[in-house]
Amino acid sequence: MKELMQRLREASLKAITEAQDMDLLETLRVKYLGKKGELTAILRQMGQLSAQERPAMGQLANQLRSDIENAIEARKTELSAALLEKKLRDEALDVSLPGEKKPIGHKHPMYNVLDQIKDIFVGMGFEIVDGPEVELADYNFTKLNIDEGHPSREWTDTFYFTEDSSILLRTQTSPMQIHAMETRELPIRIIAPGRVYRKDEVDATHSPMFHQIEGMVIDKGVTMSDLKATLNLVVEKIYGKGTVTRFRPHHFPFTEPSCEMDIQCHKCGGKGCPTCKGEGWIEVLGAGMVHPKVLAGCGIDPDVYSGWAFGMGLERLAMGEYKITDLRLIFENDVRFLEQF
Ligand code: PHE
């Protein structure tokens, strides 16, 4: 019996020290110490021993049980330490490694130009206002002195929402003049940038959606010379000091007198080149003195107050500034194009 226990001791301790995982250890525990285990089997034979032999054998058996138990515990501790070690090694994080750079992009070139213009006007005391793209025909046309029957109200030019032509996508930012005059305290100094819509086919210079910036000043004693001085200043800030402008007579129903402002081509200095299409001048905006009828329609007395307004196309400005030759590039948002700015 002693021999049996000695053999069990050797075999079990060897198996336990060599076990490579926790599951196997548990299997070994059952195999040696379980109810149907090898030690129990040996103990069952105790009955055959004499009374003198029994206590010594019992002691040996108890010793063996506790040695096996200790060996299992010791091996468990070793295995879990090794497991932790491996986990730490596998999950090690090298904080000195440079991170992965995610491309975050940047502002669209046209919005850079818009920001520049906003800064210029804010610096002169103007407020930036925002208004609806879905507009009443009243605000887009009628209150701007553009009566029923005017060609710009045609269904072929304008996106209408209703059969009676009363709701539309604004064709210009000028309705913001009306909103401002109806809702704001005098004097008024605002610019209103935003999208406008016209039924145009897409080509290198046309798009059914484009951006305008409206500007307006209403105060006592405002004259055409204020308009010219302010716009000249703005042009010099955008295109550089000494940029020459020219104000040509024009017609808009909501301004009187009306004009268009050109700048002398900054590329050729007025001699004529591809940038100015040989003209020497580049058209920049439409402007004029706010029509007395429009002022009166908004409840402002044209005998006391006067004002000027302008509207300019943002895409055209950005194209000039960044030498972009095709309008479609501005809207396609191809990153290969946008990346260049
Ligand atoms: N709204 C006019 C256009 O789209 C531009 C303009 C604005 C003219 C303000 C005069 C005053 O062409």
Side-chain angles (χ1 to χ4, degrees):
M1 189 171 218
K2 205 171 170 179
E3 227 169 83
L4 271 178
M5 281 200 267
Q6 186 53 34
R7 245 181 283 145
L8 175 57
R9 169 181 294 279
E10 277 163 23
S12 63
L13 295 186
K14 185 169 185 290
I16 290 165
T17 27
E18 284 171 2
Q20 288 306 323
D21 63 70
M22 299 287 192
D23 290 345
L24 181 55
L25 274 182
E26 180 56 18
T27 314
L28 292 175
R29 194 188 62 77
V30 174
K31 177 172 187 281
Y32 301 127
L33 307 177
K35 270 195 198 126
K36 292 175 185 161
E38 293 179 22
L39 184 60
T40 319
I42 295 173
L43 291 175
R44 279 214 191 90
Q45 299 171 25
M46 288 279 253
Q48 301 160 13
L49 297 176
S50 67
Q52 293 99 311
E53 282 174 312
R54 237 179 266 162
M57 277 306 150
Q59 212 180 349
L60 263 182
N62 283 339
Q63 187 59 50
L64 179 54
R65 170 179 290 278
S66 83
D67 286 351
I68 293 177
E69 274 170 357
N70 289 342
I72 290 176
E73 273 321 301
R75 186 64 189 148
K76 258 192 196 162
T77 316
E78 264 174 37
L79 282 180
S80 59
L83 218 66
L84 180 65
E85 181 95 358
K86 181 176 178 329
K87 201 167 144 119
L88 287 175
R89 221 180 311 116
D90 288 353
E91 291 172 11
L93 192 67
D94 183 352
V95 290
S96 70
L97 271 178
E100 219 177 282
K101 258 211 179 127
K102 296 261 186 293
I104 53 164
H106 56 73
K107 200 162 260 170
H108 190 288
M110 190 177 69
Y111 280 81
N112 285 334
V113 174
L114 178 57
D115 281 352
Q116 189 191 356
I117 291 169
K118 280 178 175 174
D119 278 351
I120 294 169
F121 278 98
V122 167
M124 296 192 296
F126 284 63
E127 281 179 76
I128 299 164
V129 298
D130 200 13
E133 289 170 27
V134 176
E135 187 55 278
L136 297 173
D138 252 4
Y139 284 76
N140 194 82
F141 294 129
T142 317
K143 286 168 182 270
L144 285 165
N145 198 29
I146 306 170
D147 288 328
E148 303 265 354
H150 190 278
S152 71
R153 299 183 75 143
E154 292 289 324
W155 273 70
T156 47
D157 292 344
T158 304
F159 294 104
Y160 286 101
F161 288 99
T162 50
E163 284 296 325
D164 66 357
S165 312
S166 62
I167 303 173
L168 44 73
L169 282 172
R170 66 179 178 189
T171 63
Q172 50 184 351
T173 44
S174 298
M176 289 307 295
Q177 293 183 29
I178 309 295
H179 287 298
M181 286 190 272
E182 285 185 349
T183 57
R184 302 180 88 83
E185 300 275 324
L186 294 164
I188 297 170
R189 268 184 212 85
I190 54 136
I191 60 164
R195 294 187 190 88
V196 300
Y197 303 84
R198 291 179 196 178
K199 278 193 183 165
D200 280 325
E201 293 294 332
V202 177
D203 67 25
T205 52
H206 292 86
S207 159
M209 184 280 295
F210 57 101
H211 294 71
Q212 285 189 332
I213 304 171
E214 196 77 9
M216 186 179 72
V217 171
I218 310 280
D219 203 348
K220 287 178 182 155
V222 175
T223 67
M224 191 88 182
S225 58
D226 295 312
L227 180 160
K228 291 177 76 173
T230 310
L231 293 179
N232 277 336
L233 245 168
V234 172
V235 161
E236 286 202 327
K237 293 224 165 140
I238 300 175
Y239 294 99
K241 260 211 153 5
T243 305
V244 181
T245 57
R246 158 176 102 172
F247 291 81
R248 271 181 296 106
H250 200 75
H251 172 77
F252 298 105
F254 40 93
T255 47
E256 181 57 35
S258 303
C259 61
E260 277 190 332
M261 185 185 80
D262 302 333
I263 57 163
Q264 196 165 57
C265 182
H266 46 100
K267 201 72 183 293
C268 62
K271 286 199 229 42
C273 72
T275 300
C276 56
K277 298 191 191 90
E279 301 260 327
W281 296 90
I282 301 168
E283 184 207 314
V284 179
L285 53 80
M289 299 306 291
V290 178
H291 199 294
K293 263 176 88 173
V294 174
L295 287 171
C298 295
I300 296 171
D301 185 347
D303 290 330
V304 182
Y305 283 94
S306 56
W308 56 262
F310 73 87
M312 69 181 159
L314 184 53
E315 282 80 2
R316 173 124 40 112
L317 214 65
M319 287 168 77
E321 192 141 326
Y322 289 114
K323 303 185 176 51
I324 300 165
T325 48
D326 194 317
L327 176 65
R328 286 166 287 203
L329 290 166
I330 291 187
F331 302 124
E332 275 167 2
N333 286 333
D334 186 327
V335 282
R336 290 168 302 179
F337 167 73
L338 295 175
E339 256 167 14
Q340 303 171 58
F341 304 98

